[in-house]
Amino acid sequence: MVKEELYSYSDTVNELLARYGVRFGIYKNGTFKEQLFPFDMIPRKIGRDEFDYLERGLKQRVMALNEFIKDIYGDKKIIRDNVVPEEFVYMGSGYLAQCEGVRPPKDVFTHISGIDLVQAKDGEWYVLEDNLRIPSGASYPMIAREICRRSSPETFKKNAISDNRNYAKLLRKTMDHVNVGGHTVILTPGRYNAAYFEHSYLAEQTGAHLVTGNELVVENDNLFFKDYSGSKERVGAVYRRISDEYLDPMNFNPESVIGIPHIYDIYRKGNVALINAPGNGVADDKGIYYFVPDMVRYYLGEEPVLHNAPTYLPFYPKDMEYVLENFDSLVLKDVAEAGGYGVVFGSGMTGEEKDRFIAMLKAEPRRFIAQEVIDFLDIDIYENGEAVPRKADLRAFVLMADEPMVWKSGLTRFSRNPDSFIVNSSQGGGFKDTWVMEE
Amino acid sequence: MTKREEQKMRKLDFQYHMRLLFPEPVNRHHFTLRCFPIDSERQKITNLNIQITPSHVGGTETDSFGNRCIYGVVEKPHTEFCVSVDGMAYVYGDAFQPVADAHKIGMFRYNTDLTKIGPTLDKLYKKLSAGTPEKEAITEKALRWMEAVHSCIKYVQGITQVTTTAEEAAVFGMGVCQDYAHILLALLRKEHIPSRYVVGMMTGEGASHAWVEVCDGKKWVGFDPTNNCMVDDQYICISHGRDARDCTINQGYFYGSPRQIQEINVVVEESRDD
């Protein structure tokens, strides 16, 4: 039994993960705590045919999303043609007026996308969320696989598992594709960031410099990296792991002390690539999610391969009616929130909470989406020596160079609480390796 | 331009001077300036002379709204930062900037953090929309609402700040041109009328001015709620955006004590140059 063989290395693997610093930072009540990101030894397996299907759908989806962002900050045809109502674009927090008219190098906006999917009990896959700003998580399955291979090489000889050690190569290719001349750097806010482990690991694996804002400087309309001796070398691509609003105090939040003054001005001129493009949030808003299948039809003229979870927009009176009638069977999400916050289940509310929520829904219908609760396929995890079923999702990574590339792996996150559907690492979930089988 | 065209225009000389004084020296002073009038359907700028001291390195660009910016950094310690812009403007009284693609101006239909409606403005909005005559044109409505905004607050300097929202100014009942403009924008956008914030200068001596432009479906028409009148050939436009933040005249970021004094002096007068 493969499972048990690998499982017998559980202690070794978890010790090594801890030793390498595979941590996730959490802010709780104002203090920063780093915790280990719990790893479960039972891999999630995805068959080759099934993954081929996902791959086709993911490429298609990300291409449509990239077109959408280009269109919104440019011609706005999708608004003119009444496919996406303009209020969902302009009222969403992800829309940035500063991005109007700005074309990134090679027209790539979605360099790295993290698409969250779940599989239902009937085997059907559904996309739950598109993460197009700075999706994190690839480093965890990367290092876990590396350690598992070293701990139990036999397992990987006996099983035909797609090698996932190429993520760094894919990422490097993605960054090099848009680099306008000079070094490639990974910009981190610093070690108190939740994903600092990932920033440093990806820098090490891709050979990019890991830098903080004060090591980069704009001069003569170019970006430079200042090394310890004070010498300056040009930077052509920045994989920035800080959010849009903190990127440049001259163009976004003026209070930011971790950004680089004027970096956005020279990006506007095409003198540096920013990965991912600022303003991408306009496409991964929970309200915009509803329209992604329509975007695929509109921009690509194809039927979407992947399905959204059945979603209702209370903004449309017909949908509002449905939501009010079926309130108890739906999950409601605040479009402005992320990371598993702002998600409530209709069935989980007391009468009073429900009344309050419905009043809020009626007052601000655009703020919420409602979805059918998908009966997730349970996946086994080991807990105290026995396998127990838990809810899990899959974050698939799609990287865009001259064409989209899907990483043959992904981050499978699970909920450690048997009654919970929320798998986010910021809510204390764990992760597993994802095996894409060769046959 | 032809002689006939020239006759239809008012010729204005303008000077815009800004001085920042720092009680203690600051360094690595990054700046982005947005105080340069540009050519448009309604104005032609000539003899533009721009001076920025102390010496700096940087560049120029056009921002996402089409405004001209000069940005740069003064590396060395300094206690004074001066900007002077002067030139001549030919202004058409009845020309307005046309709107080519109506589907592209949606961003001006939604309120921003600075123009968000609260209970006080909501009350005013309800009162105004209840009194709407049948078949009121957009410009007629803007005129009527401008009048209401003009009388809903008193012009008092020093009460509000650059970060004051429309709602806050309405609650104080006091403010300056920025606040008048934000309140009018808040109300118009609540009515889904695309409208934008404009920074500029008007004849006379004083500070820079701000007003509102409303899209009537074909073109941008200017309304000045501070003075309760329509914008004519006495106004020179500098920049436009969704609110005052988009039109920040001087954005700075520097190392040193944050204390500073800003002096602005604007003079616009009928050109004697003939």
Side-chain angles (χ1 to χ4, degrees):
Chain A
M1 258 305 270
V2 177
K3 241 191 217 174
E4 276 162 18
E5 198 176 275
L6 188 58
Y7 178 66
S8 59
Y9 296 97
S10 182
D11 291 346
T12 320
V13 170
N14 271 298
E15 262 167 42
L16 281 171
L17 284 171
R19 209 185 159 110
Y20 282 110
V22 183
R23 295 195 175 90
F24 202 92
I26 292 182
Y27 281 93
K28 227 175 199 168
N29 307 323
T31 54
F32 179 78
K33 265 192 210 154
E34 266 189 336
Q35 61 181 45
L36 293 173
F37 193 10
F39 177 69
D40 180 71
M41 295 298 286
I42 308 174
R44 161 189 239 151
K45 290 188 200 171
I46 302 176
R48 186 181 169 159
D49 290 346
E50 197 165 16
F51 198 80
D52 281 350
Y53 157 78
L54 291 177
E55 186 168 352
R56 256 186 300 128
L58 288 163
K59 284 181 175 173
Q60 182 194 50
R61 192 171 176 102
V62 170
M63 286 205 338
L65 287 164
N66 195 76
E67 281 306 304
F68 174 70
I69 301 168
K70 188 167 103 188
D71 188 25
I72 286 302
Y73 292 122
D75 293 338
K76 304 177 178 41
K77 288 189 192 127
I78 202 162
I79 293 177
R80 183 197 62 200
D81 294 342
N82 295 316
V83 178
V84 175
E86 68 170 24
E87 35 276 86
F88 283 86
V89 172
Y90 300 119
M91 287 173 78
S93 58
Y95 168 79
L96 298 178
Q98 294 96 321
C99 299
E100 284 288 342
V102 180
R103 297 279 287 266
K106 307 225 164 124
D107 277 341
V108 180
F109 289 84
T110 56
H111 308 82
I112 299 137
S113 310
I115 311 293
D116 292 345
L117 301 128
V118 290
Q119 191 172 19
K121 287 223 164 85
D122 62 5
E124 191 71 68
W125 288 87
Y126 294 99
V127 175
L128 278 193
E129 216 169 274
D130 305 290
N131 297 280
L132 309 174
R133 302 174 204 213
I134 29 177
S136 66
S139 62
Y140 304 112
M142 278 168 88
I143 192 165
R145 177 74 65 87
E146 183 63 38
I147 292 171
C148 286
R149 289 184 79 100
R150 270 159 49 199
S151 307
S152 175
E154 280 304 299
T155 307
F156 294 85
K157 255 181 229 152
K158 276 191 223 154
N159 294 278
I161 305 158
S162 298
D163 196 344
N164 77 347
R165 287 174 297 179
N166 63 341
Y167 186 81
K169 266 192 195 140
L170 298 179
L171 180 56
R172 187 75 216 196
K173 191 175 165 187
T174 302
M175 299 191 293
D176 287 347
H177 178 66
V178 292
N179 188 308
V180 297
H183 290 287
T184 296
V185 300
I186 297 182
L187 172 63
T188 175
R191 72 166 239 71
Y192 291 108
N193 183 269
Y196 184 71
F197 161 75
E198 173 153 309
H199 307 162
S200 57
Y201 187 72
L202 292 178
E204 179 190 304
Q205 296 290 311
T206 57
H209 293 287
L210 182 67
V211 302
T212 50
N214 56 16
E215 290 168 291
L216 296 177
V217 58
V218 171
E219 260 182 41
N220 298 319
D221 275 351
N222 281 306
L223 184 68
F224 295 91
F225 167 65
K226 281 187 300 191
D227 72 9
Y228 61 91
S229 69
S231 75
K232 290 172 190 162
E233 294 190 56
R234 191 178 168 202
V235 173
V238 181
Y239 178 17
R240 44 86 183 212
R241 296 294 302 246
I242 70 181
S243 60
D244 294 351
E245 53 177 326
Y246 292 106
L247 192 58
D248 178 354
M250 306 306 291
N251 284 282
F252 300 104
N253 186 347
E255 311 276 304
S256 172
V257 292
I258 55 172
I260 301 127
H262 302 304
I263 192 172
Y264 192 73
D265 300 306
I266 63 162
Y267 166 74
R268 183 192 288 283
K269 293 182 170 176
N271 294 353
V272 71
L274 294 174
I275 300 165
N276 288 345
N280 276 7
V282 72
D284 71 3
D285 181 286
K286 288 186 174 71
I288 287 293
Y289 159 90
Y290 178 91
F291 300 99
V292 178
D294 295 328
M295 286 176 206
V296 172
R297 291 182 198 104
Y298 183 77
Y299 293 115
L300 308 178
E302 297 168 7
E303 265 312 294
V305 175
L306 290 173
H307 306 292
N308 270 3
T311 304
Y312 308 93
L313 284 189
F315 168 79
Y316 293 124
K318 207 179 79 197
D319 284 19
M320 175 71 98
E321 204 177 297
Y322 181 90
V323 170
L324 295 177
E325 263 167 34
N326 300 277
F327 195 79
D328 289 348
S329 65
L330 298 170
V331 52
L332 294 116
K333 298 180 177 177
D334 187 328
V335 299
E337 300 273 2
Y341 296 96
V343 177
V344 285
F345 289 84
S347 56
M349 289 187 211
T350 64
E352 200 184 311
E353 283 169 342
K354 199 170 137 178
D355 291 344
R356 227 180 305 138
F357 193 92
I358 288 175
M360 207 154 64
L361 186 66
K362 284 180 173 164
E364 288 180 273
R366 205 211 73 88
R367 200 178 130 190
F368 301 94
I369 62 168
Q371 289 176 325
E372 301 288 353
V373 178
I374 294 172
D375 200 3
F376 290 20
L377 189 67
D378 287 323
I379 292 187
D380 281 353
I381 69 163
Y382 269 119
E383 201 173 76
N384 305 322
E386 55 175 330
V388 291
R390 287 292 182 273
K391 305 296 174 204
D393 76 349
L394 171 68
R395 172 166 293 182
F397 290 90
V398 185
L399 287 82
M400 180 93 88
D402 45 355
E403 54 180 14
M405 307 172 286
V406 179
W407 184 34
K408 282 200 166 44
S409 185
L411 174 65
T412 294
R413 297 176 300 180
F414 60 85
S415 160
R416 281 191 295 170
N417 175 351
D419 303 319
S420 175
F421 284 82
I422 296 173
V423 297
N424 300 66
S425 25
S426 45
Q427 306 272 345
F431 78 109
K432 296 170 162 285
D433 196 358
T434 306
W435 288 2
V436 174
M437 308 311 291
E438 292 275 296
E439 55 218 21
Chain B
M1 97 195 79
T2 65
K3 196 78 197 154
R4 239 192 92 204
E5 273 179 325
E6 214 172 306
Q7 277 165 357
K8 284 197 298 185
M9 297 179 288
R10 190 182 286 273
K11 267 178 264 174
L12 299 172
D13 285 330
F14 64 87
Q15 295 168 32
Y16 175 92
H17 292 260
M18 185 194 67
R19 202 153 73 116
L20 280 182
L21 296 166
F22 304 100
E24 289 162 55
V26 300
N27 63 3
R28 281 161 71 192
H29 177 174
H30 295 268
F31 61 87
T32 296
L33 297 165
R34 209 177 258 103
C35 53
F36 316 102
I38 55 166
D39 286 351
S40 69
E41 299 291 322
R42 69 176 299 279
Q43 64 187 36
K44 297 275 174 280
I45 309 296
T46 60
N47 304 342
L48 192 65
N49 178 27
I50 300 166
Q51 271 171 21
I52 301 164
T53 54
S55 67
H56 60 276
V57 290
T60 63
E61 68 175 338
T62 301
D63 72 13
S64 284
F65 298 98
N67 305 316
R68 184 175 179 204
C69 306
I70 295 183
Y71 59 89
V73 56
V74 180
E75 284 286 346
K76 291 198 174 133
H78 55 286
T79 52
E80 204 177 295
F81 178 73
C82 296
V83 181
S84 128
V85 184
D86 49 62
M88 190 162 78
Y90 291 88
V91 188
Y92 289 89
D94 51 2
F96 302 99
Q97 203 182 324
V99 175
D101 296 308
H103 72 279
K104 284 193 183 174
I105 59 164
M107 73 168 97
F108 297 110
R109 237 190 298 267
Y110 299 91
N111 274 316
T112 63
D113 287 346
L114 286 175
T115 66
K116 225 184 270 166
I117 295 236
T120 304
L121 284 179
D122 197 45
K123 234 166 92 186
L124 180 58
Y125 169 76
K126 287 196 174 114
K127 205 177 104 194
L128 287 169
S129 52
T132 303
E134 250 181 89
K135 285 188 186 163
E136 187 181 39
I138 287 178
T139 45
E140 283 166 26
K141 175 171 288 175
L143 209 55
R144 190 165 61 86
W145 289 22
M146 170 173 76
E147 212 168 296
V149 170
H150 177 73
S151 54
C152 95
I153 63 171
K154 243 170 70 187
Y155 190 91
V156 181
Q157 279 179 341
I159 302 288
T160 54
Q161 298 169 309
V162 287
T163 52
T164 302
T165 66
E167 175 72 12
E168 284 163 357
V171 170
F172 296 148
M174 287 179 271
V176 293
C177 56
Q178 165 177 320
D179 306 302
Y180 284 91
H182 279 162
I183 293 174
L184 182 55
L185 288 170
L187 298 167
L188 291 168
R189 289 174 182 164
K190 175 92 181 165
E191 193 78 353
H192 295 292
I193 297 172
S195 44
R196 60 188 195 182
Y197 185 91
V198 182
V199 167
M201 304 176 272
M202 63 182 292
T203 44
E205 185 170 354
S208 54
H209 193 39
W211 58 90
V212 170
E213 279 181 352
V214 176
C215 176
D216 69 353
K218 290 194 180 96
K219 56 187 187 304
W220 291 106
V221 184
F223 295 85
D224 177 358
T226 311
N227 296 305
N228 196 24
C229 62
M230 299 214 34
V231 170
D232 60 9
D233 56 7
Q234 315 254 4
Y235 293 71
I236 302 170
C237 297
I238 289 177
S239 64
H240 64 263
R242 291 164 304 169
D243 57 24
R245 217 187 135 187
D246 286 340
C247 300
T248 306
I249 287 179
N250 168 42
Q251 178 78 52
Y253 183 88
F254 50 79
Y255 291 79
S257 159
R259 288 191 298 140
Q260 54 179 298
I261 300 159
Q262 189 182 45
E263 293 170 357
I264 293 176
N265 189 44
V266 177
V267 180
V268 178
E269 53 194 10
E270 205 81 39
S271 179
R272 278 180 288 269
D273 174 35
D274 232 341

